[in-house]
Tab-separated table of all heavy atoms in Angstrom:
chain	number	residue	atom	x	y	z
A	142	SER	N	28.173	-1.707	-22.190
A	142	SER	CA	27.645	-2.497	-21.112
A	142	SER	C	28.823	-3.254	-20.430
A	142	SER	O	29.697	-3.757	-21.114
A	142	SER	CB	26.640	-3.524	-21.691
A	142	SER	OG	26.069	-4.219	-20.615
A	143	GLY	N	28.846	-3.231	-19.114
A	143	GLY	CA	29.897	-3.902	-18.408
A	143	GLY	C	31.123	-3.039	-18.141
A	143	GLY	O	32.099	-3.522	-17.594
A	145	GLY	N	31.287	-0.599	-16.164
A	145	GLY	CA	31.415	-0.240	-14.735
A	145	GLY	C	30.632	0.977	-14.335
A	145	GLY	O	30.852	1.557	-13.260
A	146	LYS	N	29.669	1.405	-15.152
A	146	LYS	CA	28.928	2.637	-14.821
A	146	LYS	C	28.093	2.436	-13.549
A	146	LYS	O	28.135	3.281	-12.664
A	146	LYS	CB	27.974	2.965	-16.021
A	146	LYS	CG	28.708	3.132	-17.331
A	146	LYS	CD	27.771	3.477	-18.462
A	146	LYS	CE	26.739	2.389	-18.782
A	146	LYS	NZ	27.304	1.082	-19.247
A	147	THR	N	27.376	1.321	-13.509
A	147	THR	CA	26.580	1.052	-12.299
A	147	THR	C	27.463	0.950	-11.064
A	147	THR	O	27.155	1.516	-9.995
A	147	THR	CB	25.783	-0.275	-12.475
A	147	THR	OG1	24.890	-0.085	-13.565
A	147	THR	CG2	25.010	-0.640	-11.212
A	148	THR	N	28.580	0.242	-11.228
A	148	THR	CA	29.512	0.101	-10.116
A	148	THR	C	30.010	1.465	-9.642
A	148	THR	O	30.092	1.704	-8.435
A	148	THR	CB	30.734	-0.747	-10.575
A	148	THR	OG1	30.215	-2.005	-11.057
A	148	THR	CG2	31.668	-1.024	-9.416
A	184	GLN	N	19.085	1.027	-11.429
A	184	GLN	CA	18.464	0.520	-12.637
A	184	GLN	C	17.265	-0.363	-12.303
A	184	GLN	O	16.223	-0.251	-12.909
A	184	GLN	CB	19.546	-0.306	-13.357
A	184	GLN	CG	19.261	-0.582	-14.802
A	184	GLN	CD	20.506	-1.127	-15.491
A	184	GLN	OE1	21.592	-1.075	-14.934
A	184	GLN	NE2	20.315	-1.645	-16.679
A	261	ASP	N	20.587	5.770	-12.730
A	261	ASP	CA	21.179	4.673	-13.477
A	261	ASP	C	20.175	4.144	-14.501
A	261	ASP	O	19.183	3.503	-14.107
A	261	ASP	CB	21.627	3.566	-12.491
A	261	ASP	CG	22.585	2.612	-13.130
A	261	ASP	OD1	22.850	2.745	-14.372
A	261	ASP	OD2	23.072	1.692	-12.419
A	262	GLU	N	20.439	4.349	-15.773
A	262	GLU	CA	19.602	3.806	-16.866
A	262	GLU	C	18.110	4.069	-16.563
A	262	GLU	O	17.292	3.154	-16.658
A	262	GLU	CB	19.825	2.313	-17.046
A	262	GLU	CG	21.260	1.893	-17.148
A	262	GLU	CD	21.871	2.040	-18.550
A	262	GLU	OE1	21.196	2.626	-19.429
A	262	GLU	OE2	23.013	1.591	-18.715
A	292	VAL	N	23.545	8.124	-15.833
A	292	VAL	CA	24.173	7.031	-16.578
A	292	VAL	C	23.133	6.500	-17.599
A	292	VAL	O	22.021	6.164	-17.193
A	292	VAL	CB	24.633	5.906	-15.646
A	292	VAL	CG1	24.849	4.615	-16.424
A	292	VAL	CG2	25.904	6.299	-14.942
A	294	HIS	N	22.622	4.680	-21.869
A	294	HIS	CA	23.019	4.628	-23.267
A	294	HIS	C	21.769	4.695	-24.131
A	294	HIS	O	21.668	4.039	-25.151
A	294	HIS	CB	23.923	3.446	-23.614
A	294	HIS	CG	23.559	2.145	-22.981
A	294	HIS	ND1	24.471	1.343	-22.348
A	294	HIS	CD2	22.392	1.508	-22.893
A	294	HIS	CE1	23.880	0.258	-21.900
A	294	HIS	NE2	22.614	0.346	-22.236
C	547	MG	MG1	24.513	-0.749	-15.402
Side-chain angles (χ1 to χ4, degrees):
Chain A
S142 185
K146 305 179 297 296
T147 297
T148 304
Q184 198 168 347
D261 197 355
E262 311 277 8
V292 161
H294 43 227

